[in-house]
Amino acid sequence: MTMMRAMVLDRPGQPLVMRERPLPQPGPGEILVAVSACGVCRTDLHVVDGELPHPKLPIVPGHEIVGRVAALGEGVTGFAAGQRVGIPWLGATCGHCPYCRSDRENLCDAPLFTGYTRDGGFATHTVADARFCFALPPRLDDASAAPLLCAGLIGWRSYRMAGAAAALGIYGFGAAAHILVQVAVWQGRRVYGFTRPGDAAAQAFARSLGAAWAGGSEEAPPEPLDAAIIFAPVGALVPAALRAVKKGGRVVCGGIHMSDIPSFPYAILWEERQIVSVANLTRADAREFLAVAPDSGLKTAVVRYPLDRANAALDDLRGGRLQGAAVLCVT
Ligand SMILES: [Zn+2]
Ligand SMILES: [Zn+2]
């Protein structure tokens, strides 16, 4: 095979276009991967809608990639042809900035991000830096494993950032929340799910995954929260979550983009409540989560689309019509 197909974004605000391209060759340290499934994440939507600055253009979105190694570049070790691998959002780091040197490569000064500043997985093939690819636990099939690569990994980093919260609120019940609630309940936490007001289907979905309670984001949970994670890109949820957490409680913003946060009285932040954000992931996060995930027995709810229906998947995500995670199934 000498050609590949990809769904390409030429300019933010436009639909993706299917293009044929010559099959790329992996450079030193890289692997060529034949994509079998690629999750559709809210970050892809932010890239496509022009809400994130300076994407590489044209760009192939997609950073929840599951595939098989098709070719190895010079010097690659630890992977074999045909092996199943996952490719996440963190595509490369510089390795020498102060952040890389202090175990905070998620904050690298010169990173590459899959599907944003290097081509991603809305394609039949992609090339990745092998040092940032991972073997995947065998229990889940390709489409079911894809959402672990971002919703799972960055969800996990957000969850870790929330600390040892016995009562945990999750605002925004999309792909990340539906994974995290299963892990949290398995770890003995009481999880409270917050959705758009009146979204009875999403609330039922949250309860079906083990949430002790689910309601609208304007509602008070049945008990004060030790911590809350906000996955929905809605700034007004920050003061709402602050009101729901106890003294010393923490509000974790897990998304890459959010609408402006409205002003709020200092009294709801006082008593050592904290607001923190989560950016990207480290490879250590990935190794840790991929080791824990199989033990939790978690299942992912995926809505499958063929590759050439990527725009429909993005529209369904934008319109809040999905339960669980959208996944493009390439083969
Ligand atoms: Zn760096
Ligand atoms: Zn993502």
Side-chain angles (χ1 to χ4, degrees):
M1 195 192 314
T2 57
M3 299 296 282
M4 61 169 276
R5 285 177 300 126
M7 293 297 285
V8 179
L9 178 73
D10 289 319
R11 201 177 294 272
Q14 293 182 354
L16 308 182
V17 181
M18 179 70 87
R19 294 254 162 75
E20 279 220 332
R21 293 175 161 186
L23 194 63
Q25 294 303 306
E30 294 181 330
I31 52 177
L32 174 69
V33 172
V35 178
S36 56
C38 185
V40 181
C41 169
R42 184 162 293 280
T43 299
D44 298 313
L45 206 51
H46 294 317
V47 171
V48 169
D49 291 346
E51 289 165 332
L52 297 181
H54 314 303
K56 175 184 97 66
L57 290 174
I59 182 76
V60 179
H63 56 271
E64 297 182 308
I65 306 168
V66 178
R68 303 282 180 302
V69 177
L72 298 147
E74 197 187 312
V76 173
T77 55
F79 291 104
Q83 183 181 346
R84 183 165 90 144
V85 291
I87 306 174
W89 168 248
L90 188 69
T93 56
C94 77
H96 53 73
C97 74
Y99 296 102
C100 283
R101 290 205 317 257
S102 58
D103 293 328
R104 293 181 291 169
E105 65 181 3
N106 61 307
L107 301 176
C108 175
D109 283 332
L112 286 176
F113 295 117
T114 311
Y116 178 34
T117 54
R118 73 178 293 166
D119 281 335
F122 289 8
T124 58
H125 295 78
T126 194
V127 167
D129 184 326
R131 296 169 300 172
F132 293 82
C133 300
F134 299 94
L136 294 173
R139 203 177 53 83
L140 296 174
D141 64 47
D142 293 353
S144 303
L148 300 185
L149 271 310
C150 181
L153 294 183
I154 296 181
W156 175 254
R157 187 173 180 84
S158 307
Y159 178 69
R160 292 289 311 277
M161 196 89 80
L168 176 69
I170 301 181
Y171 288 77
F173 226 86
H178 104 282
I179 292 172
L180 256 293
V181 63
Q182 298 176 66
V183 177
V185 169
W186 171 70
Q187 292 191 334
R189 319 285 182 101
R190 297 184 302 284
V191 179
Y192 301 98
F194 297 83
T195 71
R196 287 175 226 236
D199 191 344
Q203 290 164 18
F205 183 52
R207 284 189 291 266
S208 76
L209 294 168
W213 171 94
S217 55
E218 81 293 1
E219 290 179 51
E223 65 170 317
L225 305 173
D226 295 301
I229 305 172
I230 302 175
F231 288 121
V234 180
L237 294 175
V238 173
L242 278 173
R243 286 190 166 92
V245 298
K246 293 177 194 170
K247 289 185 284 189
R250 188 177 274 195
V251 174
V252 179
C253 301
I256 193 171
H257 173 82
M258 197 181 241
S259 56
D260 286 354
I261 300 169
S263 73
F264 54 83
Y266 177 63
I268 65 172
L269 178 62
W270 190 61
E271 296 174 318
E272 302 194 347
R273 292 176 183 85
Q274 299 176 349
I275 306 170
V276 296
S277 70
V278 166
N280 314 313
L281 68 139
T282 65
R283 284 171 284 180
D285 294 327
R287 282 188 288 271
E288 190 176 79
F289 177 69
L290 293 172
V292 166
D295 290 343
S296 74
L298 76 86
K299 295 188 178 70
T300 55
V302 300
V303 181
R304 294 159 200 251
Y305 300 78
L307 177 60
D308 63 5
R309 296 271 297 153
N311 290 306
L314 289 165
D315 283 345
D316 287 346
L317 181 57
R318 192 186 287 108
R321 291 187 289 274
L322 289 164
Q323 229 166 54
V327 175
L328 304 182
C329 294
V330 180
T331 52

mmCIF file of all heavy atoms in Angstrom, residues 36-87:
data_model
loop_
_atom_site.group_PDB
_atom_site.id
_atom_site.type_symbol
_atom_site.label_atom_id
_atom_site.label_comp_id
_atom_site.label_asym_id
_atom_site.label_seq_id
_atom_site.Cartn_x
_atom_site.Cartn_y
_atom_site.Cartn_z
ATOM 1 N N SER A 36 -6.913 1.535 13.703
ATOM 2 C CA SER A 36 -8.158 0.766 13.632
ATOM 3 C C SER A 36 -9.313 1.542 14.247
ATOM 4 O O SER A 36 -10.452 1.414 13.804
ATOM 5 C CB SER A 36 -8.001 -0.591 14.309
ATOM 6 O OG SER A 36 -7.586 -0.425 15.634
ATOM 7 N N ALA A 37 -9.043 2.348 15.267
ATOM 8 C CA ALA A 37 -10.103 3.147 15.900
ATOM 9 C C ALA A 37 -9.495 4.424 16.456
ATOM 10 O O ALA A 37 -8.348 4.427 16.895
ATOM 11 C CB ALA A 37 -10.768 2.351 17.009
ATOM 12 N N CYS A 38 -10.276 5.503 16.422
ATOM 13 C CA CYS A 38 -9.804 6.756 17.009
ATOM 14 C C CYS A 38 -10.986 7.455 17.682
ATOM 15 O O CYS A 38 -11.998 7.726 17.042
ATOM 16 C CB CYS A 38 -9.173 7.661 15.955
ATOM 17 S SG CYS A 38 -8.440 9.162 16.662
ATOM 18 N N GLY A 39 -10.845 7.728 18.952
ATOM 19 C CA GLY A 39 -11.893 8.418 19.694
ATOM 20 C C GLY A 39 -12.014 9.865 19.246
ATOM 21 O O GLY A 39 -11.083 10.456 18.723
ATOM 22 N N VAL A 40 -13.210 10.417 19.459
ATOM 23 C CA VAL A 40 -13.477 11.820 19.149
ATOM 24 C C VAL A 40 -13.667 12.533 20.485
ATOM 25 O O VAL A 40 -14.591 12.219 21.229
ATOM 26 C CB VAL A 40 -14.738 11.967 18.278
ATOM 27 C CG1 VAL A 40 -14.999 13.431 17.951
ATOM 28 C CG2 VAL A 40 -14.592 11.139 17.000
ATOM 29 N N CYS A 41 -12.760 13.471 20.766
ATOM 30 C CA CYS A 41 -12.717 14.121 22.069
ATOM 31 C C CYS A 41 -13.185 15.563 21.928
ATOM 32 O O CYS A 41 -13.108 16.148 20.850
ATOM 33 C CB CYS A 41 -11.272 14.063 22.575
ATOM 34 S SG CYS A 41 -10.932 15.064 24.009
ATOM 35 N N ARG A 42 -13.628 16.144 23.043
ATOM 36 C CA ARG A 42 -14.049 17.547 23.004
ATOM 37 C C ARG A 42 -12.919 18.457 22.535
ATOM 38 O O ARG A 42 -13.163 19.480 21.904
ATOM 39 C CB ARG A 42 -14.561 17.973 24.382
ATOM 40 C CG ARG A 42 -15.112 19.371 24.420
ATOM 41 C CD ARG A 42 -15.987 19.636 25.627
ATOM 42 N NE ARG A 42 -17.211 18.874 25.617
ATOM 43 C CZ ARG A 42 -18.290 19.197 24.907
ATOM 44 N NH1 ARG A 42 -18.309 20.275 24.163
ATOM 45 N NH2 ARG A 42 -19.368 18.440 24.931
ATOM 46 N N THR A 43 -11.683 18.076 22.806
ATOM 47 C CA THR A 43 -10.548 18.886 22.347
ATOM 48 C C THR A 43 -10.498 18.932 20.815
ATOM 49 O O THR A 43 -10.132 19.951 20.235
ATOM 50 C CB THR A 43 -9.237 18.331 22.935
ATOM 51 O OG1 THR A 43 -9.328 18.415 24.352
ATOM 52 C CG2 THR A 43 -8.026 19.118 22.463
ATOM 53 N N ASP A 44 -10.862 17.833 20.156
ATOM 54 C CA ASP A 44 -10.938 17.855 18.686
ATOM 55 C C ASP A 44 -11.934 18.921 18.235
ATOM 56 O O ASP A 44 -11.706 19.639 17.264
ATOM 57 C CB ASP A 44 -11.375 16.490 18.142
ATOM 58 C CG ASP A 44 -10.387 15.387 18.472
ATOM 59 O OD1 ASP A 44 -9.182 15.598 18.269
ATOM 60 O OD2 ASP A 44 -10.823 14.327 18.941
ATOM 61 N N LEU A 45 -13.029 19.001 18.981
ATOM 62 C CA LEU A 45 -14.058 19.991 18.672
ATOM 63 C C LEU A 45 -13.495 21.412 18.847
ATOM 64 O O LEU A 45 -13.735 22.290 18.015
ATOM 65 C CB LEU A 45 -15.232 19.757 19.629
ATOM 66 C CG LEU A 45 -16.615 20.165 19.226
ATOM 67 C CD1 LEU A 45 -16.979 19.620 17.859
ATOM 68 C CD2 LEU A 45 -17.607 19.656 20.280
ATOM 69 N N HIS A 46 -12.726 21.614 19.909
ATOM 70 C CA HIS A 46 -12.126 22.938 20.128
ATOM 71 C C HIS A 46 -11.153 23.288 18.996
ATOM 72 O O HIS A 46 -11.059 24.433 18.576
ATOM 73 C CB HIS A 46 -11.396 22.985 21.470
ATOM 74 C CG HIS A 46 -12.279 22.863 22.675
ATOM 75 N ND1 HIS A 46 -13.491 23.522 22.791
ATOM 76 C CD2 HIS A 46 -12.142 22.156 23.828
ATOM 77 C CE1 HIS A 46 -14.037 23.221 23.962
ATOM 78 N NE2 HIS A 46 -13.248 22.389 24.599
ATOM 79 N N VAL A 47 -10.406 22.290 18.499
ATOM 80 C CA VAL A 47 -9.476 22.528 17.378
ATOM 81 C C VAL A 47 -10.276 22.884 16.119
ATOM 82 O O VAL A 47 -10.013 23.884 15.446
ATOM 83 C CB VAL A 47 -8.578 21.293 17.118
ATOM 84 C CG1 VAL A 47 -7.785 21.453 15.827
ATOM 85 C CG2 VAL A 47 -7.631 21.056 18.297
ATOM 86 N N VAL A 48 -11.277 22.072 15.827
ATOM 87 C CA VAL A 48 -12.067 22.256 14.600
ATOM 88 C C VAL A 48 -12.828 23.588 14.637
ATOM 89 O O VAL A 48 -12.959 24.276 13.619
ATOM 90 C CB VAL A 48 -13.029 21.063 14.405
ATOM 91 C CG1 VAL A 48 -14.043 21.329 13.310
ATOM 92 C CG2 VAL A 48 -12.234 19.797 14.094
ATOM 93 N N ASP A 49 -13.299 23.965 15.812
ATOM 94 C CA ASP A 49 -14.080 25.199 15.944
ATOM 95 C C ASP A 49 -13.204 26.440 16.137
ATOM 96 O O ASP A 49 -13.721 27.551 16.296
ATOM 97 C CB ASP A 49 -15.066 25.076 17.124
ATOM 98 C CG ASP A 49 -16.191 24.073 16.838
ATOM 99 O OD1 ASP A 49 -16.353 23.697 15.656
ATOM 100 O OD2 ASP A 49 -16.896 23.670 17.775
ATOM 101 N N GLY A 50 -11.890 26.269 16.147
ATOM 102 C CA GLY A 50 -10.988 27.420 16.242
ATOM 103 C C GLY A 50 -10.887 28.017 17.637
ATOM 104 O O GLY A 50 -10.544 29.193 17.786
ATOM 105 N N GLU A 51 -11.144 27.204 18.659
ATOM 106 C CA GLU A 51 -11.081 27.719 20.034
ATOM 107 C C GLU A 51 -9.703 27.534 20.664
ATOM 108 O O GLU A 51 -9.481 27.998 21.781
ATOM 109 C CB GLU A 51 -12.152 27.038 20.892
ATOM 110 C CG GLU A 51 -13.560 27.519 20.514
ATOM 111 C CD GLU A 51 -14.677 26.644 21.044
ATOM 112 O OE1 GLU A 51 -14.464 25.428 21.237
ATOM 113 O OE2 GLU A 51 -15.782 27.170 21.226
ATOM 114 N N LEU A 52 -8.803 26.842 19.984
ATOM 115 C CA LEU A 52 -7.434 26.691 20.478
ATOM 116 C C LEU A 52 -6.492 27.387 19.496
ATOM 117 O O LEU A 52 -6.640 27.232 18.280
ATOM 118 C CB LEU A 52 -7.053 25.215 20.604
ATOM 119 C CG LEU A 52 -7.882 24.397 21.606
ATOM 120 C CD1 LEU A 52 -7.391 22.963 21.649
ATOM 121 C CD2 LEU A 52 -7.801 25.024 22.984
ATOM 122 N N PRO A 53 -5.506 28.122 19.994
ATOM 123 C CA PRO A 53 -4.662 28.916 19.105
ATOM 124 C C PRO A 53 -3.622 28.071 18.354
ATOM 125 O O PRO A 53 -3.170 27.049 18.863
ATOM 126 C CB PRO A 53 -3.965 29.876 20.073
ATOM 127 C CG PRO A 53 -3.925 29.145 21.373
ATOM 128 C CD PRO A 53 -5.177 28.311 21.415
ATOM 129 N N HIS A 54 -3.280 28.537 17.166
ATOM 130 C CA HIS A 54 -2.131 28.047 16.397
ATOM 131 C C HIS A 54 -2.081 26.540 16.175
ATOM 132 O O HIS A 54 -1.071 25.896 16.449
ATOM 133 C CB HIS A 54 -0.816 28.495 17.060
ATOM 134 C CG HIS A 54 -0.821 29.934 17.456
ATOM 135 N ND1 HIS A 54 -1.050 30.961 16.560
ATOM 136 C CD2 HIS A 54 -0.644 30.522 18.665
ATOM 137 C CE1 HIS A 54 -1.014 32.115 17.195
ATOM 138 N NE2 HIS A 54 -0.769 31.893 18.466
ATOM 139 N N PRO A 55 -3.161 25.921 15.673
ATOM 140 C CA PRO A 55 -3.006 24.523 15.260
ATOM 141 C C PRO A 55 -2.092 24.467 14.032
ATOM 142 O O PRO A 55 -1.961 25.457 13.311
ATOM 143 C CB PRO A 55 -4.432 24.117 14.880
ATOM 144 C CG PRO A 55 -5.095 25.398 14.478
ATOM 145 C CD PRO A 55 -4.475 26.474 15.324
ATOM 146 N N LYS A 56 -1.450 23.308 13.826
ATOM 147 C CA LYS A 56 -0.795 23.081 12.541
ATOM 148 C C LYS A 56 -1.908 22.984 11.501
ATOM 149 O O LYS A 56 -2.907 22.311 11.738
ATOM 150 C CB LYS A 56 -0.003 21.776 12.574
ATOM 151 C CG LYS A 56 0.617 21.385 11.250
ATOM 152 C CD LYS A 56 1.314 20.037 11.339
ATOM 153 C CE LYS A 56 0.468 18.871 10.855
ATOM 154 N NZ LYS A 56 0.170 18.901 9.413
ATOM 155 N N LEU A 57 -1.789 23.664 10.382
ATOM 156 C CA LEU A 57 -2.801 23.570 9.331
ATOM 157 C C LEU A 57 -2.147 23.269 7.991
ATOM 158 O O LEU A 57 -1.112 23.859 7.697
ATOM 159 C CB LEU A 57 -3.588 24.885 9.230
ATOM 160 C CG LEU A 57 -4.533 25.183 10.401
ATOM 161 C CD1 LEU A 57 -5.139 26.572 10.274
ATOM 162 C CD2 LEU A 57 -5.640 24.131 10.525
ATOM 163 N N PRO A 58 -2.721 22.412 7.180
ATOM 164 C CA PRO A 58 -3.865 21.561 7.545
ATOM 165 C C PRO A 58 -3.469 20.552 8.620
ATOM 166 O O PRO A 58 -2.290 20.209 8.732
ATOM 167 C CB PRO A 58 -4.225 20.868 6.233
ATOM 168 C CG PRO A 58 -2.974 20.921 5.406
ATOM 169 C CD PRO A 58 -2.238 22.161 5.803
ATOM 170 N N ILE A 59 -4.478 20.099 9.377
ATOM 171 C CA ILE A 59 -4.219 19.140 10.461
ATOM 172 C C ILE A 59 -5.201 17.983 10.358
ATOM 173 O O ILE A 59 -6.349 18.166 9.967
ATOM 174 C CB ILE A 59 -4.344 19.840 11.838
ATOM 175 C CG1 ILE A 59 -4.024 18.892 13.004
ATOM 176 C CG2 ILE A 59 -5.741 20.441 12.059
ATOM 177 C CD1 ILE A 59 -2.561 18.622 13.205
ATOM 178 N N VAL A 60 -4.708 16.797 10.685
ATOM 179 C CA VAL A 60 -5.575 15.632 10.865
ATOM 180 C C VAL A 60 -5.854 15.535 12.362
ATOM 181 O O VAL A 60 -4.941 15.290 13.143
ATOM 182 C CB VAL A 60 -4.899 14.336 10.371
ATOM 183 C CG1 VAL A 60 -5.820 13.134 10.597
ATOM 184 C CG2 VAL A 60 -4.501 14.457 8.903
ATOM 185 N N PRO A 61 -7.097 15.781 12.814
ATOM 186 C CA PRO A 61 -7.386 15.699 14.254
ATOM 187 C C PRO A 61 -7.331 14.255 14.756
ATOM 188 O O PRO A 61 -7.137 13.315 13.974
ATOM 189 C CB PRO A 61 -8.809 16.265 14.358
ATOM 190 C CG PRO A 61 -9.081 16.950 13.067
ATOM 191 C CD PRO A 61 -8.256 16.225 12.035
ATOM 192 N N GLY A 62 -7.569 14.113 16.060
ATOM 193 C CA GLY A 62 -7.686 12.768 16.632
ATOM 194 C C GLY A 62 -6.494 12.385 17.487
ATOM 195 O O GLY A 62 -5.378 12.281 16.978
ATOM 196 N N HIS A 63 -6.742 12.164 18.793
ATOM 197 C CA HIS A 63 -5.626 11.841 19.691
ATOM 198 C C HIS A 63 -6.013 10.748 20.685
ATOM 199 O O HIS A 63 -5.497 10.696 21.791
ATOM 200 C CB HIS A 63 -5.171 13.114 20.417
ATOM 201 C CG HIS A 63 -6.275 13.783 21.175
ATOM 202 N ND1 HIS A 63 -7.098 14.723 20.605
ATOM 203 C CD2 HIS A 63 -6.718 13.614 22.440
ATOM 204 C CE1 HIS A 63 -7.989 15.112 21.508
ATOM 205 N NE2 HIS A 63 -7.789 14.458 22.622
ATOM 206 N N GLU A 64 -6.946 9.902 20.282
ATOM 207 C CA GLU A 64 -7.280 8.701 21.075
ATOM 208 C C GLU A 64 -7.180 7.530 20.100
ATOM 209 O O GLU A 64 -8.185 6.951 19.702
ATOM 210 C CB GLU A 64 -8.697 8.801 21.643
ATOM 211 C CG GLU A 64 -8.877 9.953 22.618
ATOM 212 C CD GLU A 64 -10.289 10.010 23.207
ATOM 213 O OE1 GLU A 64 -11.265 9.995 22.428
ATOM 214 O OE2 GLU A 64 -10.401 10.072 24.428
ATOM 215 N N ILE A 65 -5.943 7.221 19.724
ATOM 216 C CA ILE A 65 -5.701 6.349 18.574
ATOM 217 C C ILE A 65 -5.336 4.939 19.026
ATOM 218 O O ILE A 65 -4.456 4.753 19.868
ATOM 219 C CB ILE A 65 -4.543 6.915 17.722
ATOM 220 C CG1 ILE A 65 -4.815 8.381 17.344
ATOM 221 C CG2 ILE A 65 -4.318 6.055 16.477
ATOM 222 C CD1 ILE A 65 -3.609 9.100 16.746
ATOM 223 N N VAL A 66 -6.017 3.962 18.446
ATOM 224 C CA VAL A 66 -5.645 2.561 18.642
ATOM 225 C C VAL A 66 -5.347 1.973 17.272
ATOM 226 O O VAL A 66 -6.119 2.160 16.325
ATOM 227 C CB VAL A 66 -6.777 1.758 19.318
ATOM 228 C CG1 VAL A 66 -6.383 0.287 19.465
ATOM 229 C CG2 VAL A 66 -7.117 2.358 20.679
ATOM 230 N N GLY A 67 -4.215 1.295 17.157
ATOM 231 C CA GLY A 67 -3.860 0.700 15.873
ATOM 232 C C GLY A 67 -2.782 -0.350 16.050
ATOM 233 O O GLY A 67 -2.457 -0.761 17.172
ATOM 234 N N ARG A 68 -2.250 -0.775 14.907
ATOM 235 C CA ARG A 68 -1.197 -1.785 14.904
ATOM 236 C C ARG A 68 0.055 -1.195 14.260
ATOM 237 O O ARG A 68 -0.034 -0.454 13.279
ATOM 238 C CB ARG A 68 -1.621 -3.024 14.096
ATOM 239 C CG ARG A 68 -2.923 -3.694 14.561
ATOM 240 C CD ARG A 68 -2.705 -4.545 15.795
ATOM 241 N NE ARG A 68 -3.892 -5.220 16.321
ATOM 242 C CZ ARG A 68 -5.035 -4.664 16.732
ATOM 243 N NH1 ARG A 68 -5.225 -3.369 16.607
ATOM 244 N NH2 ARG A 68 -5.998 -5.396 17.254
ATOM 245 N N VAL A 69 1.205 -1.544 14.807
ATOM 246 C CA VAL A 69 2.469 -1.049 14.262
ATOM 247 C C VAL A 69 2.660 -1.612 12.849
ATOM 248 O O VAL A 69 2.662 -2.834 12.657
ATOM 249 C CB VAL A 69 3.656 -1.460 15.165
ATOM 250 C CG1 VAL A 69 4.976 -1.006 14.535
ATOM 251 C CG2 VAL A 69 3.489 -0.889 16.566
ATOM 252 N N ALA A 70 2.775 -0.705 11.877
ATOM 253 C CA ALA A 70 2.932 -1.131 10.479
ATOM 254 C C ALA A 70 4.383 -1.039 10.031
ATOM 255 O O ALA A 70 4.797 -1.768 9.126
ATOM 256 C CB ALA A 70 2.049 -0.277 9.560
ATOM 257 N N ALA A 71 5.157 -0.136 10.619
ATOM 258 C CA ALA A 71 6.579 -0.020 10.262
ATOM 259 C C ALA A 71 7.291 0.695 11.399
ATOM 260 O O ALA A 71 6.717 1.544 12.078
ATOM 261 C CB ALA A 71 6.749 0.759 8.960
ATOM 262 N N LEU A 72 8.544 0.308 11.586
ATOM 263 C CA LEU A 72 9.355 0.885 12.664
ATOM 264 C C LEU A 72 10.441 1.755 12.063
ATOM 265 O O LEU A 72 11.143 1.323 11.143
ATOM 266 C CB LEU A 72 10.010 -0.239 13.473
ATOM 267 C CG LEU A 72 9.044 -1.197 14.177
ATOM 268 C CD1 LEU A 72 9.615 -2.595 14.238
ATOM 269 C CD2 LEU A 72 8.743 -0.689 15.576
ATOM 270 N N GLY A 73 10.600 2.977 12.575
ATOM 271 C CA GLY A 73 11.706 3.824 12.159
ATOM 272 C C GLY A 73 13.007 3.367 12.805
ATOM 273 O O GLY A 73 13.020 2.508 13.689
ATOM 274 N N GLU A 74 14.073 3.998 12.340
ATOM 275 C CA GLU A 74 15.404 3.644 12.835
ATOM 276 C C GLU A 74 15.488 3.848 14.352
ATOM 277 O O GLU A 74 15.017 4.859 14.882
ATOM 278 C CB GLU A 74 16.391 4.596 12.127
ATOM 279 C CG GLU A 74 17.817 4.185 12.148
ATOM 280 C CD GLU A 74 18.659 5.321 11.554
ATOM 281 O OE1 GLU A 74 18.312 5.840 10.474
ATOM 282 O OE2 GLU A 74 19.637 5.700 12.217
ATOM 283 N N GLY A 75 16.056 2.884 15.029
ATOM 284 C CA GLY A 75 16.351 3.049 16.453
ATOM 285 C C GLY A 75 15.186 2.806 17.388
ATOM 286 O O GLY A 75 15.329 2.988 18.596
ATOM 287 N N VAL A 76 14.012 2.402 16.868
ATOM 288 C CA VAL A 76 12.872 2.162 17.760
ATOM 289 C C VAL A 76 13.053 0.828 18.474
ATOM 290 O O VAL A 76 13.320 -0.190 17.839
ATOM 291 C CB VAL A 76 11.540 2.155 16.977
ATOM 292 C CG1 VAL A 76 10.380 1.726 17.880
ATOM 293 C CG2 VAL A 76 11.272 3.519 16.383
ATOM 294 N N THR A 77 12.899 0.853 19.791
ATOM 295 C CA THR A 77 12.939 -0.390 20.554
ATOM 296 C C THR A 77 11.650 -0.503 21.355
ATOM 297 O O THR A 77 10.974 0.491 21.607
ATOM 298 C CB THR A 77 14.127 -0.426 21.534
ATOM 299 O OG1 THR A 77 14.048 0.728 22.363
ATOM 300 C CG2 THR A 77 15.458 -0.439 20.799
ATOM 301 N N GLY A 78 11.303 -1.709 21.748
ATOM 302 C CA GLY A 78 10.142 -1.906 22.615
ATOM 303 C C GLY A 78 8.845 -2.129 21.874
ATOM 304 O O GLY A 78 7.817 -2.360 22.504
ATOM 305 N N PHE A 79 8.857 -2.035 20.566
ATOM 306 C CA PHE A 79 7.650 -2.317 19.778
ATOM 307 C C PHE A 79 7.988 -3.275 18.649
ATOM 308 O O PHE A 79 9.107 -3.275 18.138
ATOM 309 C CB PHE A 79 7.061 -1.031 19.187
ATOM 310 C CG PHE A 79 6.473 -0.103 20.221
ATOM 311 C CD1 PHE A 79 7.150 1.037 20.605
ATOM 312 C CD2 PHE A 79 5.259 -0.398 20.822
ATOM 313 C CE1 PHE A 79 6.618 1.887 21.567
ATOM 314 C CE2 PHE A 79 4.719 0.439 21.788
ATOM 315 C CZ PHE A 79 5.400 1.587 22.156
ATOM 316 N N ALA A 80 7.007 -4.073 18.271
ATOM 317 C CA ALA A 80 7.194 -5.016 17.176
ATOM 318 C C ALA A 80 6.120 -4.775 16.124
ATOM 319 O O ALA A 80 5.019 -4.306 16.449
ATOM 320 C CB ALA A 80 7.090 -6.453 17.695
ATOM 321 N N ALA A 81 6.427 -5.102 14.880
ATOM 322 C CA ALA A 81 5.443 -4.977 13.810
ATOM 323 C C ALA A 81 4.205 -5.796 14.165
ATOM 324 O O ALA A 81 4.311 -6.916 14.662
ATOM 325 C CB ALA A 81 6.041 -5.454 12.485
ATOM 326 N N GLY A 82 3.035 -5.222 13.957
ATOM 327 C CA GLY A 82 1.784 -5.920 14.244
ATOM 328 C C GLY A 82 1.274 -5.722 15.655
ATOM 329 O O GLY A 82 0.126 -6.052 15.964
ATOM 330 N N GLN A 83 2.092 -5.171 16.537
ATOM 331 C CA GLN A 83 1.685 -4.986 17.935
ATOM 332 C C GLN A 83 0.603 -3.912 18.049
ATOM 333 O O GLN A 83 0.650 -2.881 17.379
ATOM 334 C CB GLN A 83 2.910 -4.573 18.758
ATOM 335 C CG GLN A 83 2.608 -4.428 20.238
ATOM 336 C CD GLN A 83 3.838 -3.983 21.031
ATOM 337 O OE1 GLN A 83 4.962 -4.019 20.540
ATOM 338 N NE2 GLN A 83 3.611 -3.555 22.265
ATOM 339 N N ARG A 84 -0.367 -4.142 18.954
ATOM 340 C CA ARG A 84 -1.388 -3.124 19.201
ATOM 341 C C ARG A 84 -0.812 -2.020 20.084
ATOM 342 O O ARG A 84 -0.188 -2.292 21.098
ATOM 343 C CB ARG A 84 -2.600 -3.752 19.884
ATOM 344 C CG ARG A 84 -3.724 -2.735 20.085
ATOM 345 C CD ARG A 84 -5.028 -3.416 20.422
ATOM 346 N NE ARG A 84 -5.220 -3.589 21.843
ATOM 347 C CZ ARG A 84 -6.415 -3.495 22.450
ATOM 348 N NH1 ARG A 84 -7.503 -3.244 21.737
ATOM 349 N NH2 ARG A 84 -6.524 -3.699 23.737
ATOM 350 N N VAL A 85 -1.022 -0.769 19.670
ATOM 351 C CA VAL A 85 -0.531 0.370 20.452
ATOM 352 C C VAL A 85 -1.617 1.440 20.561
ATOM 353 O O VAL A 85 -2.542 1.515 19.749
ATOM 354 C CB VAL A 85 0.726 1.024 19.811
ATOM 355 C CG1 VAL A 85 1.926 0.097 19.899
ATOM 356 C CG2 VAL A 85 0.467 1.463 18.389
ATOM 357 N N GLY A 86 -1.454 2.277 21.580
ATOM 358 C CA GLY A 86 -2.298 3.454 21.754
ATOM 359 C C GLY A 86 -1.446 4.700 21.637
ATOM 360 O O GLY A 86 -0.294 4.725 22.081
ATOM 361 N N ILE A 87 -2.008 5.731 21.003
ATOM 362 C CA ILE A 87 -1.312 7.012 20.839
ATOM 363 C C ILE A 87 -2.173 8.098 21.495
ATOM 364 O O ILE A 87 -3.314 8.301 21.092
ATOM 365 C CB ILE A 87 -1.093 7.347 19.351
ATOM 366 C CG1 ILE A 87 -0.386 6.192 18.637
ATOM 367 C CG2 ILE A 87 -0.300 8.649 19.208
ATOM 368 C CD1 ILE A 87 -0.273 6.382 17.124
#
